[in-house]
Amino acid sequence: MTQELKFYFAYTSPVSYLANDPAYALERSHDVRLRYIPYGVDIRGVYGDVPTRGERDRRKLRYLYHDARRMARERGVVIYPPKQIFSARRAFYGGFCAEDQGLFRPYSDRVYQRFFKHELQVEDPEALAAILEEVGADTATFRRWIEDEESEAKPRLKRGFAEAAADHVFGVPTFVADGELFWGYDRMPWLIKKLDAMGLRR
C-alpha cells in the first residue's frame, strides 16, 4: 500500500529547493506519495533582522548559503542568495491554488527557479498570479485570497503550521516517514534507507 511521505518546505529556502527534485524521484523509486506542507521559519527571530544581525550570525548564514550553492553547482542548479528577508506567505497561497487544480509541481518549480535566480518578487501577488496563469491555473481564488486572507488561505496555512508543531518540525526541508523526521537535503540518503527498511522500494 502506498505510504504518505510528508514534505515540509518553504519557497525561500535554498535547501528546500535542492530537495525538491530528489523528492519527486522518491515517488518513482518507492511506493510513497508526497504531501507538501508549507512551513515558515522565522529568520528574523532566529538570526535577527539584516541591519541588526550580529557578525556571528552573518558569518553562519553566509556559510549556509555557500554550502547550498556548492551543492547546487553539483547539479547545475542556480542559487543566488536573497538580498533581504522575504515572506513566502503569498507564494504558499499560490501553491494552495495550484494544488487544488492539480498544478502544484509546475507552479512550485517555477517559483523556486525564478526566486533563486532573482527573477521573481516572491511577495508580489501579480507576479505569482502570472506564474499560475502560465501553468494553466485559474487565478480567481488566489486573487480572492489575497484580498481576504481570512476566508480560506490563512487558516489553511495555520493548519499546516499546527501539523508541523505536532510533528516537532523546526526547519525545512523536513520529511516525515512513519513518524520519523529527516531534516535537510543532505539527510535524504538516510530517508531512502528508512523507506527501503519499510519495504517500500519499487
Side-chain angles (χ1 to χ4, degrees):
M1 186 174 69
T2 301
Q3 295 283 319
E4 177 181 273
L5 177 61
K6 296 183 183 181
F7 179 12
Y8 289 94
F9 73 98
Y11 289 122
T12 53
S13 160
V15 278
S16 283
Y17 180 24
L18 288 170
N20 198 47
D21 283 351
Y24 293 164
L26 291 176
E27 289 191 333
R28 298 190 294 271
S29 61
H30 293 78
D31 194 11
V32 297
R33 178 183 57 82
L34 292 165
R35 181 157 74 89
Y36 300 88
I37 308 172
Y39 181 73
V41 177
D42 182 3
I43 297 296
R44 287 187 176 91
V46 175
Y47 295 109
D49 211 345
V50 175
T52 60
R53 188 173 293 158
E55 180 57 31
R56 176 184 176 277
D57 286 333
R58 283 197 292 271
R59 288 198 301 267
K60 183 177 181 180
L61 279 176
R62 281 197 298 269
Y63 178 81
L64 291 173
Y65 267 102
H66 184 61
D67 254 4
R69 295 181 74 181
R70 284 193 287 208
M71 290 185 281
R73 280 195 297 271
E74 291 180 343
R75 290 174 37 198
V77 175
V78 175
I79 291 180
Y80 297 143
K83 296 180 179 179
Q84 67 182 74
I85 297 172
F86 290 97
S87 167
R89 176 174 49 86
R90 288 174 170 173
F92 287 152
Y93 294 172
F96 291 151
C97 184
E99 181 179 31
D100 292 348
Q101 298 177 64
L103 296 164
F104 178 81
R105 292 188 182 185
Y107 167 83
S108 289
D109 290 346
R110 286 164 173 78
V111 171
Y112 276 128
Q113 291 164 7
R114 294 175 191 177
F115 177 71
F116 284 106
K117 287 183 178 179
H118 293 178
E119 295 173 353
L120 171 67
Q121 292 294 327
V122 76
E123 297 177 353
D124 180 358
E126 289 305 315
L128 296 167
I131 293 178
L132 286 168
E133 290 173 352
E134 184 179 320
V135 301
D138 185 326
T139 64
T141 299
F142 172 71
R143 294 181 185 279
R144 178 168 55 82
W145 286 345
I146 293 298
E147 292 177 3
D148 180 14
E149 295 183 16
E150 301 299 331
S151 58
E152 291 172 61
K154 190 174 182 179
R156 184 168 171 177
L157 190 59
K158 284 184 174 181
R159 287 195 298 273
F161 289 177
E163 186 170 353
D167 282 336
H168 307 291
V169 171
F170 54 85
V172 290
T174 294
F175 295 88
V176 182
D178 194 33
E180 186 173 351
L181 270 65
F182 297 84
W183 171 57
Y185 165 64
D186 53 346
R187 273 73 167 192
M188 291 190 74
W190 292 342
L191 169 62
I192 291 170
K193 289 179 181 179
K194 169 74 173 184
L195 298 178
D196 287 348
M198 292 172 67
L200 296 173
R201 174 75 68 170
R202 290 188 187 277

